[in-house]
Amino acid sequence: MQVVADVGGIPGKDCNGFCKYCYFRKVKDVKSFGCAYCLPNKIGCERCSKGVSETQGAFKSPFEVMNEVQSALMMSMGRGDIIADISGGGDISCYPHLESLTANLNQYSIKSRLSYTCGKGITDSSIASRLINNNVEEVSFTIFSSDPKLRKEWVKDPSPEEALKACQIFCENIKLTGAAVIIPGVNDGDV
């Protein structure tokens, strides 16, 4: 059984800044089309207005995230192995409580997946080993390039070498789904 552990986060703010290629970079105020929660005869509420541009809120406290996970578990008891899909609006590696959240989930024998990261929050590659020890079994990692200079320029990664080392540790020990945004002439070909 899979539960979502939504840590919150805002693109561009809770990811150490926009990547050069980020599709959220130019998102400004978005006129909403309405949703099921809008009042009758009124298009656009706070929920759909913020939901469209994924600006719901900053990172949540680990206590709040664990409460949401526990509530989801109580609603669906007895459905086999439990995997928490840790996700949010920012880069998961920038979530300041990632280690403690995965440790708390592990205490309840809940495995974890990191839904999306490009590793911009990793300043020490040893965090990868600690996360694996906390029962993180899978990571979705956007590498962009294995060249630290390109990562620094295009991903705006403050510690590209450490992020790449962490990516390698994940690759060697758990399932890693790799992704790359390919920009012709920048990170294609041999790069």
Side-chain angles (χ1 to χ4, degrees):
M1 183 186 116
Q2 182 175 326
V3 295
V4 174
D6 181 3
V7 299
I10 300 170
K13 179 179 182 280
D14 296 316
C15 61
N16 286 344
F18 290 118
C19 298
K20 269 187 169 182
Y21 56 82
C22 183
Y23 54 88
F24 284 111
R25 250 182 47 218
K26 296 189 179 189
V27 173
K28 303 298 180 217
D29 289 330
V30 177
K31 184 176 180 186
S32 63
F33 296 110
C35 69
Y37 300 96
C38 291
L39 295 173
N41 300 319
K42 185 173 187 288
I43 295 174
C45 65
E46 185 175 355
R47 185 176 185 144
C48 65
S49 298
K50 289 184 175 183
V52 170
S53 57
E54 291 191 25
T55 57
Q56 293 93 330
F59 282 136
K60 299 175 185 176
S61 74
F63 178 76
E64 185 179 357
V65 176
M66 281 302 296
N67 276 343
E68 291 172 2
V69 167
Q70 288 173 334
S71 294
L73 291 175
M74 288 192 312
M75 299 300 286
S76 55
M77 291 299 280
R79 293 204 183 165
D81 289 342
I82 302 164
I83 299 169
D85 189 12
I86 301 173
S87 62
D91 186 322
I92 299 302
S93 70
C94 295
Y95 181 57
H97 311 288
L98 184 59
E99 280 188 78
S100 62
L101 176 62
T102 56
N104 285 335
L105 291 166
N106 191 31
Q107 284 183 333
Y108 291 100
S109 299
I110 300 173
K111 297 175 183 179
S112 301
R113 290 182 186 147
L114 304 184
S115 268
Y116 161 77
T117 185
C118 63
K120 289 195 315 187
I122 298 174
T123 57
D124 176 8
S125 61
S126 65
I127 190 174
S129 297
R130 294 192 302 273
L131 291 170
I132 292 166
N133 289 336
N134 285 346
N135 219 2
V136 171
E137 68 169 19
E138 184 178 342
V139 176
S140 176
F141 199 105
T142 300
I143 190 164
F144 186 77
S145 174
S146 59
D147 179 346
K149 291 177 186 171
L150 278 177
R151 276 186 61 86
K152 189 169 191 77
E153 178 186 351
W154 283 83
V155 180
K156 306 293 186 190
D157 188 345
S159 305
E161 293 87 359
E162 292 301 310
L164 290 170
K165 284 181 198 171
C167 183
Q168 182 175 353
I169 292 168
F170 288 135
C171 282
E172 292 170 349
N173 294 284
I174 62 173
K175 183 177 178 184
L176 183 130
T177 302
V181 174
I182 303 298
I183 300 172
V186 175
N187 67 337
D188 58 352
D190 291 341
V191 174

